[in-house]
Amino acid sequence: MQTFKVSLFIGLIISTVACSEVPARQRGNLALPQMALTPDAQESALRQHTFLSKEAASGGYGGTGGGCGCN
Amino acid sequence: MSKRKNTKLINRLTCAALALPGLMHEASAARVEETYDVDVQYGHYEESGQRIKVNTFESAFTIPIGNAMTSMFNFVHDAVSGASPIYNSRDAQGKVTQVMSGASIKEERNMIDANIAYFLDQSTLKAGGGYSTEHDYKSKYLNASWSQDFNKKHTTLNLSGSVAFDDIEPTNFNSDCGNKCTKTTEQVLAGVTQVLNKDALLQTNLTFSNSSGYLSDPYKRVIFYDANNVLTTIASDKRPRDRRQWAGLVRYVQHVEDANRAALHADYRFTTDNWGINSHTVDLSWHQPLGEGWEIVPRIRYYTQGKADFYEPTFTGTPTNTPNYSSDYRLAGFGVVSGGLKLTKTLSSSKPLQYLKLNAGIEYFDHKSRYELGGNDSGSFADFKYYLFTASVNLKF
Amino acid sequence: MMNHKKVSMFAVALFVGAINSAVNAAKIGEQVPAFSLPTLQQNQAVNLKQFQGKVVYLDFWASWCAPCRTSFPLLNKLHEKLKAQGFEVVAVNVDENKTDAEKFFKEFPVNFTVVRENKGELSDQLAVESMPTSFILDKQGVIQHVHQGFKSGDLPELEQKITALLAK
């Protein structure tokens, strides 16, 4: 039941937020360093490492995407 | 009952964190960049009440290989010292107190990790592994990941998996596993990153992890009392021999042009496992450029977890009637509220350096049982505070 | 609630389909449409007609595109080497913010023609799908090669193609 609620929540977010096609020339904002999913990899790793040591939960983080869409 | 003073009882900050090492490397370049990166970070972690202190030194090197590959090497050195909770005791009136280990010893951990990424036009393949060692805990792990772009690079599918093999050789003889215990963990991740519009990004990830083997803490104890609050048994921490955990994460990134091109990052994560622990995490940060290469990042986080099915601060009865039992504060119900601030300065003038970034940040955490979502009446005996300070240098050339 | 989700998804699909059909994919053998764009530095008009009879490397770049940091110095060297034979480089900047482009130009000054488009006038017509994308035009202004991305190892092959077109 919980997972269903969460996936519904996610699905709602995706369908209500504007989804539009972004031409390559307009990816400048997405390419900004502060727009990266993880702007500071080392800091993020240390924070997650700290949480894992003090809290029971872990996981969820990983993967790439967004950015400038360059080849 | 005498307080057990064992100078070798150190908090498992370091080895506990090895449960899921493989998938920590989230931010390598999404496509090949013919540049070298050197990243060096120092971290200082400290708890209130003369508890654990950790100094950590990390260095990471990214080296391009030819036109389509990048290699990355990571080294970590942790130095841990201080006292940590061993067990909880209950007095004649039923009041619970947390009992710490005695004087502390310095403990060190070293880790080495490497991976290779191969870039194609629309996808990236990555594989790597590492080894971490400290005097009573060794871990070897492997990981692999695949990222695939779709829809003119608006959508990225991410799949990855990792496996870790841990050897635990507690300094105190532990009857549960003799001289050596083993633990195996596998984790898989499936996720989608979607470009919503030219100013926003959404990532949705699902991870599943399975741990099996010796999952208890060999240095922690569980105290059993009878109905009159008289101590009957001191037992070793005994957790189930398997743990399956699911995590679902939603990350949203929004560009705010008018605020000098600031970016808002909002994460929500839910986890649930077969130990009965459910958690929610909300992590918000605001990345604000200030001009002249300066950037400030304030952040707030709220974490809440429910207690494990087999957790009690102290137990009534005997171990023979209880299949699993633990009084480890990390399996209790609690909430953590934190706030932090980070400052970055980017210098990007002199070739061949693409940039030099200097970062310094601090984050304060308040861990209280009453912060648990939905309330918690177990009292403040296990409450504590801690902070994390980081300073780092990033070089790209 | 379910209906609302379905309707919005359908609307997005329609929108995406409409966008895709509006743009003609630029292919080899097509003529580059006549364009007139201002230069980045002096804001002077540059017309495609000026390059009739020359082999042109038409490059779409942005300050935020990492491979452009590699391509600019290499293209500059190539331009110096082959310009006497009738080779020209026209780099079209697509940055939404002009100051970003100027900052990039200060870090990578080049001697070839650098122009700027404002709202994707040329890049949309040529269906530029990733950054950087470049087109090699023969002496008649016809697209003979489309190159996506840029790595330092791409240069010998590009030089070969350009030299071949210069010989015609």
Side-chain angles (χ1 to χ4, degrees):
Chain A
M1 185 59 197
Q2 276 282 26
T3 19
F4 171 70
K5 276 194 202 158
V6 173
S7 16
L8 190 66
F9 175 65
I10 292 169
L12 272 175
I13 292 209
I14 291 177
S15 67
T16 54
V17 178
C19 222
S20 58
E21 172 126 342
V22 182
R25 60 181 176 82
Q26 285 200 316
R27 290 191 74 132
N29 290 342
L30 296 168
L32 289 166
Q34 61 268 33
M35 286 293 288
L37 286 164
T38 311
D40 189 336
Q42 278 184 322
E43 180 203 42
S44 174
L46 184 55
R47 286 182 83 234
Q48 293 306 323
H49 179 107
T50 304
F51 302 147
L52 214 153
S53 315
K54 298 287 131 185
E55 300 165 356
S58 63
Y61 292 92
T64 59
C68 72
C70 300
N71 270 337
Chain B
M1 187 200 64
S2 63
K3 206 187 239 189
R4 289 169 64 106
K5 276 194 183 167
N6 187 327
T7 51
K8 289 201 178 137
L9 296 172
I10 296 296
N11 184 52
R12 297 284 102 226
L13 166 72
T14 47
C15 78
L18 296 174
L20 299 153
L23 297 181
M24 300 292 237
H25 301 295
E26 21 175 332
S28 55
R31 42 206 52 81
V32 67
E33 289 187 24
E34 296 169 278
T35 53
Y36 293 78
D37 287 279
V38 175
D39 301 296
V40 179
Q41 174 173 269
Y42 163 70
H44 180 81
Y45 168 89
E46 190 167 326
E47 294 175 357
S48 58
Q50 311 283 17
R51 287 164 57 147
I52 290 297
K53 276 198 197 34
V54 182
N55 282 317
T56 170
F57 305 89
E58 290 127 26
S59 53
F61 304 90
T62 305
I63 299 161
I65 304 176
N67 263 343
M69 292 204 296
T70 301
S71 62
M72 189 162 158
F73 302 92
N74 263 316
F75 305 95
V76 176
H77 174 84
D78 290 337
V80 186
S81 62
S84 64
I86 304 295
Y87 61 86
N88 299 324
S89 68
R90 189 203 292 176
D91 70 11
Q93 285 73 44
K95 179 165 171 284
V96 179
T97 339
Q98 198 174 53
V99 179
M100 305 296 237
S101 67
S104 66
I105 258 189
K106 244 198 164 176
E107 191 189 297
E108 296 189 347
R109 175 179 85 104
N110 290 301
M111 187 200 88
I112 179 169
D113 173 285
N115 65 62
I116 292 217
Y118 180 64
F119 299 91
L120 296 128
D121 275 351
Q122 307 288 339
S123 49
T124 304
L125 298 162
K126 202 150 83 143
Y131 180 67
S132 172
T133 171
E134 55 202 284
H135 81 286
D136 59 359
Y137 201 110
K138 288 171 182 43
S139 174
K140 336 184 246 287
Y141 55 89
L142 295 166
N143 49 55
S145 71
W146 171 44
S147 294
Q148 182 72 40
D149 288 331
F150 294 94
N151 195 12
K152 293 189 201 158
K153 292 184 190 271
H154 283 67
T155 313
T156 307
L157 174 68
N158 291 296
L159 290 170
S160 56
S162 72
V163 62
F165 304 97
D166 301 349
D167 287 333
I168 307 146
E169 291 175 62
T171 52
N172 54 354
F173 181 82
N174 189 302
S175 59
D176 275 347
C177 49
N179 282 331
K180 185 161 103 168
C181 297
T182 59
K183 170 180 166 186
T184 307
T185 308
E186 299 104 21
Q187 187 186 45
V188 289
L189 177 148
V192 175
T193 307
Q194 176 69 39
V195 167
L196 299 174
N197 52 60
K198 70 182 187 71
D199 293 317
L201 204 55
L202 185 76
Q203 180 181 59
T204 318
N205 284 344
L206 201 62
T207 60
F208 172 70
S209 81
N210 181 33
S211 295
S212 51
Y214 181 74
L215 308 181
S216 309
D217 188 326
Y219 303 110
K220 293 210 163 13
R221 301 286 171 261
V222 179
I223 316 298
F224 286 78
Y225 295 84
D226 66 15
N228 301 317
N229 290 339
V230 174
L231 186 146
T232 59
T233 325
I234 300 171
S236 287
D237 184 84
K238 188 170 179 223
R239 305 179 199 188
R241 289 189 64 85
D242 75 284
R243 182 180 182 197
R244 290 183 296 281
Q245 183 178 187
W246 291 89
L249 171 77
V250 178
R251 296 186 100 162
Y252 180 72
V253 185
Q254 171 72 51
H255 174 83
V256 186
E257 180 75 31
D258 293 338
N260 201 19
R261 300 172 140 188
L264 168 71
H265 289 242
D267 299 352
Y268 166 72
R269 180 188 64 177
F270 171 71
T271 73
T272 183
D273 65 12
N274 68 335
W275 284 8
I277 303 172
N278 287 347
S279 83
H280 301 270
T281 313
V282 177
D283 202 330
L284 302 167
S285 58
W286 179 271
H287 300 241
Q288 179 66 62
L290 299 170
E292 303 299 311
W294 290 93
E295 184 190 68
I296 190 162
V297 185
R299 112 180 300 138
I300 53 171
R301 181 178 182 266
Y302 172 65
Y303 172 83
T304 176
Q305 73 175 46
K307 73 174 188 70
D309 293 334
F310 52 88
Y311 165 87
E312 290 300 331
T314 54
F315 286 77
T316 305
T318 66
T320 41
N321 298 334
T322 331
N324 296 106
Y325 38 85
S326 177
S327 297
D328 189 335
Y329 68 95
R330 291 170 297 188
L331 299 179
F334 61 82
V336 183
V337 172
S338 65
L341 204 61
K342 174 176 151 187
L343 202 58
T344 302
K345 169 73 174 154
T346 305
L347 302 145
S348 51
S349 40
S350 45
K351 296 224 204 87
L353 222 57
Q354 188 175 329
Y355 63 65
L356 172 68
K357 261 194 210 175
L358 305 162
N359 311 284
I362 189 149
E363 198 170 352
Y364 283 97
F365 300 81
D366 188 9
H367 172 127
K368 279 188 165 55
S369 67
R370 67 179 170 85
Y371 286 161
E372 183 186 347
L373 194 69
N376 180 320
D377 56 3
S378 57
S380 59
F381 67 91
D383 292 350
F384 67 107
K385 295 185 181 18
Y386 49 101
Y387 73 83
L388 180 66
F389 167 75
T390 56
S392 63
V393 178
N394 310 113
L395 219 64
K396 193 190 263 287
F397 56 92
Chain C
M1 188 165 52
M2 277 305 280
N3 273 331
H4 174 76
K5 255 207 291 198
K6 279 189 188 158
V7 168
S8 50
M9 273 164 61
F10 179 72
V12 168
L14 211 64
F15 178 67
V16 169
I19 283 287
N20 273 323
S21 58
V23 179
N24 303 312
K27 284 185 292 256
I28 292 175
E30 285 186 7
Q31 185 96 26
V32 170
F35 66 81
S36 174
L37 292 171
T39 57
L40 180 68
Q41 300 289 89
Q42 276 96 28
N43 214 31
Q44 284 175 331
V46 166
N47 205 299
L48 177 65
K49 280 199 292 220
Q50 292 167 234
F51 305 104
Q52 270 285 0
K54 295 218 173 138
V55 169
V56 177
Y57 187 91
L58 185 64
D59 181 46
F60 288 86
W61 68 279
S63 62
W64 43 262
C65 116
C68 301
R69 305 177 67 92
T70 309
S71 69
F72 259 49
L74 290 175
L75 288 173
N76 200 33
K77 274 217 295 256
L78 187 66
H79 177 242
E80 287 298 306
K81 187 172 171 187
L82 299 174
K83 68 178 177 190
Q85 300 175 42
F87 172 61
E88 279 297 338
V89 176
V90 178
V92 183
N93 174 255
V94 303
D95 272 281
E96 294 200 307
N97 194 315
K98 192 173 176 191
T99 34
D100 291 341
E102 286 166 347
K103 229 168 82 174
F104 183 95
F105 190 78
K106 267 226 305 255
E107 200 181 341
F108 297 98
V110 291
N111 297 321
F112 50 75
T113 314
V114 178
V115 297
R116 206 182 125 65
E117 64 169 26
N118 208 7
K119 292 265 184 282
E121 305 89 298
L122 189 56
S123 57
D124 284 350
Q125 280 191 72
L126 294 177
V128 169
E129 284 182 10
S130 69
M131 294 299 294
T133 297
S134 46
F135 303 87
I136 305 183
L137 316 178
D138 65 15
K139 294 179 180 172
Q140 285 76 43
V142 175
I143 298 169
Q144 292 301 334
H145 184 66
V146 181
H147 187 74
Q148 295 202 323
F150 197 96
K151 288 174 236 154
S152 51
D154 295 343
L155 204 64
E157 194 197 317
L158 290 171
E159 186 173 347
Q160 206 186 44
K161 293 196 152 75
I162 292 161
T163 321
L165 290 172
L166 283 169
K168 288 202 182 140

mmCIF file of all heavy atoms in Angstrom, chain B residues 337-353:
data_model
loop_
_atom_site.group_PDB
_atom_site.id
_atom_site.type_symbol
_atom_site.label_atom_id
_atom_site.label_comp_id
_atom_site.label_asym_id
_atom_site.label_seq_id
_atom_site.Cartn_x
_atom_site.Cartn_y
_atom_site.Cartn_z
ATOM 1 N N VAL B 337 17.137 16.308 12.643
ATOM 2 C CA VAL B 337 16.929 17.594 11.968
ATOM 3 C C VAL B 337 18.303 18.207 11.769
ATOM 4 O O VAL B 337 19.117 18.243 12.696
ATOM 5 C CB VAL B 337 16.046 18.514 12.832
ATOM 6 C CG1 VAL B 337 15.977 19.913 12.243
ATOM 7 C CG2 VAL B 337 14.645 17.938 12.948
ATOM 8 N N SER B 338 18.591 18.659 10.586
ATOM 9 C CA SER B 338 19.914 19.246 10.360
ATOM 10 C C SER B 338 19.846 20.458 9.454
ATOM 11 O O SER B 338 18.914 20.623 8.666
ATOM 12 C CB SER B 338 20.862 18.212 9.752
ATOM 13 O OG SER B 338 20.425 17.847 8.469
ATOM 14 N N GLY B 339 20.874 21.288 9.608
ATOM 15 C CA GLY B 339 20.989 22.472 8.760
ATOM 16 C C GLY B 339 22.454 22.698 8.448
ATOM 17 O O GLY B 339 23.312 22.371 9.264
ATOM 18 N N GLY B 340 22.743 23.181 7.268
ATOM 19 C CA GLY B 340 24.136 23.388 6.913
ATOM 20 C C GLY B 340 24.323 24.545 5.963
ATOM 21 O O GLY B 340 23.370 25.050 5.367
ATOM 22 N N LEU B 341 25.592 24.916 5.819
ATOM 23 C CA LEU B 341 25.961 26.018 4.932
ATOM 24 C C LEU B 341 27.291 25.674 4.286
ATOM 25 O O LEU B 341 28.201 25.184 4.963
ATOM 26 C CB LEU B 341 26.105 27.292 5.758
ATOM 27 C CG LEU B 341 25.923 28.616 5.038
ATOM 28 C CD1 LEU B 341 24.517 28.710 4.458
ATOM 29 C CD2 LEU B 341 26.144 29.779 6.003
ATOM 30 N N LYS B 342 27.389 25.928 2.994
ATOM 31 C CA LYS B 342 28.642 25.648 2.297
ATOM 32 C C LYS B 342 28.990 26.841 1.423
ATOM 33 O O LYS B 342 28.114 27.478 0.824
ATOM 34 C CB LYS B 342 28.463 24.397 1.441
ATOM 35 C CG LYS B 342 29.650 24.079 0.569
ATOM 36 C CD LYS B 342 29.403 22.775 -0.153
ATOM 37 C CE LYS B 342 30.145 22.773 -1.474
ATOM 38 N NZ LYS B 342 29.815 21.618 -2.275
ATOM 39 N N LEU B 343 30.288 27.136 1.353
ATOM 40 C CA LEU B 343 30.765 28.246 0.536
ATOM 41 C C LEU B 343 31.751 27.700 -0.492
ATOM 42 O O LEU B 343 32.589 26.869 -0.161
ATOM 43 C CB LEU B 343 31.471 29.243 1.455
ATOM 44 C CG LEU B 343 31.602 30.684 0.985
ATOM 45 C CD1 LEU B 343 30.227 31.282 0.714
ATOM 46 C CD2 LEU B 343 32.304 31.517 2.049
ATOM 47 N N THR B 344 31.615 28.162 -1.724
ATOM 48 C CA THR B 344 32.530 27.724 -2.787
ATOM 49 C C THR B 344 33.108 28.928 -3.498
ATOM 50 O O THR B 344 32.392 29.905 -3.744
ATOM 51 C CB THR B 344 31.768 26.874 -3.831
ATOM 52 O OG1 THR B 344 31.184 25.764 -3.191
ATOM 53 C CG2 THR B 344 32.683 26.381 -4.940
ATOM 54 N N LYS B 345 34.392 28.842 -3.822
ATOM 55 C CA LYS B 345 35.001 29.886 -4.648
ATOM 56 C C LYS B 345 35.619 29.204 -5.861
ATOM 57 O O LYS B 345 36.416 28.283 -5.706
ATOM 58 C CB LYS B 345 36.080 30.643 -3.842
ATOM 59 C CG LYS B 345 36.957 31.570 -4.660
ATOM 60 C CD LYS B 345 36.246 32.828 -5.097
ATOM 61 C CE LYS B 345 37.218 33.787 -5.794
ATOM 62 N NZ LYS B 345 36.554 34.683 -6.748
ATOM 63 N N THR B 346 35.254 29.656 -7.054
ATOM 64 C CA THR B 346 35.802 29.066 -8.271
ATOM 65 C C THR B 346 36.739 30.054 -8.929
ATOM 66 O O THR B 346 36.372 31.202 -9.189
ATOM 67 C CB THR B 346 34.666 28.714 -9.258
ATOM 68 O OG1 THR B 346 33.730 27.884 -8.594
ATOM 69 C CG2 THR B 346 35.203 27.978 -10.480
ATOM 70 N N LEU B 347 37.965 29.572 -9.173
ATOM 71 C CA LEU B 347 38.943 30.411 -9.871
ATOM 72 C C LEU B 347 39.142 29.781 -11.233
ATOM 73 O O LEU B 347 39.438 28.595 -11.327
ATOM 74 C CB LEU B 347 40.268 30.396 -9.101
ATOM 75 C CG LEU B 347 40.148 30.869 -7.654
ATOM 76 C CD1 LEU B 347 41.085 30.095 -6.758
ATOM 77 C CD2 LEU B 347 40.444 32.353 -7.578
ATOM 78 N N SER B 348 38.937 30.546 -12.296
ATOM 79 C CA SER B 348 39.043 29.906 -13.615
ATOM 80 C C SER B 348 39.769 30.775 -14.608
ATOM 81 O O SER B 348 39.335 30.942 -15.730
ATOM 82 C CB SER B 348 37.652 29.574 -14.133
ATOM 83 O OG SER B 348 36.825 30.704 -14.071
ATOM 84 N N SER B 349 40.893 31.356 -14.205
ATOM 85 C CA SER B 349 41.532 32.245 -15.163
ATOM 86 C C SER B 349 42.707 31.634 -15.910
ATOM 87 O O SER B 349 42.823 31.831 -17.102
ATOM 88 C CB SER B 349 41.971 33.525 -14.475
ATOM 89 O OG SER B 349 42.487 33.226 -13.197
ATOM 90 N N SER B 350 43.590 30.888 -15.184
ATOM 91 C CA SER B 350 44.844 30.540 -15.874
ATOM 92 C C SER B 350 44.819 29.179 -16.567
ATOM 93 O O SER B 350 44.574 28.166 -15.936
ATOM 94 C CB SER B 350 45.991 30.586 -14.870
ATOM 95 O OG SER B 350 45.587 29.934 -13.688
ATOM 96 N N LYS B 351 45.091 29.176 -17.860
ATOM 97 C CA LYS B 351 45.271 27.924 -18.596
ATOM 98 C C LYS B 351 46.558 27.290 -18.103
ATOM 99 O O LYS B 351 47.469 27.985 -17.711
ATOM 100 C CB LYS B 351 45.381 28.196 -20.100
ATOM 101 C CG LYS B 351 44.156 28.778 -20.691
ATOM 102 C CD LYS B 351 43.822 28.106 -22.011
ATOM 103 C CE LYS B 351 42.995 28.970 -22.914
ATOM 104 N NZ LYS B 351 43.674 29.856 -23.768
ATOM 105 N N PRO B 352 46.780 25.966 -18.130
ATOM 106 C CA PRO B 352 45.841 24.977 -18.669
ATOM 107 C C PRO B 352 44.748 24.547 -17.709
ATOM 108 O O PRO B 352 43.973 23.658 -18.014
ATOM 109 C CB PRO B 352 46.764 23.782 -18.972
ATOM 110 C CG PRO B 352 47.823 23.890 -17.940
ATOM 111 C CD PRO B 352 48.004 25.352 -17.643
ATOM 112 N N LEU B 353 44.648 25.227 -16.570
ATOM 113 C CA LEU B 353 43.631 24.891 -15.593
ATOM 114 C C LEU B 353 42.256 25.312 -16.104
ATOM 115 O O LEU B 353 42.061 26.467 -16.454
ATOM 116 C CB LEU B 353 43.920 25.694 -14.320
ATOM 117 C CG LEU B 353 43.792 25.016 -12.985
ATOM 118 C CD1 LEU B 353 44.678 23.806 -12.919
ATOM 119 C CD2 LEU B 353 44.199 25.975 -11.891
#
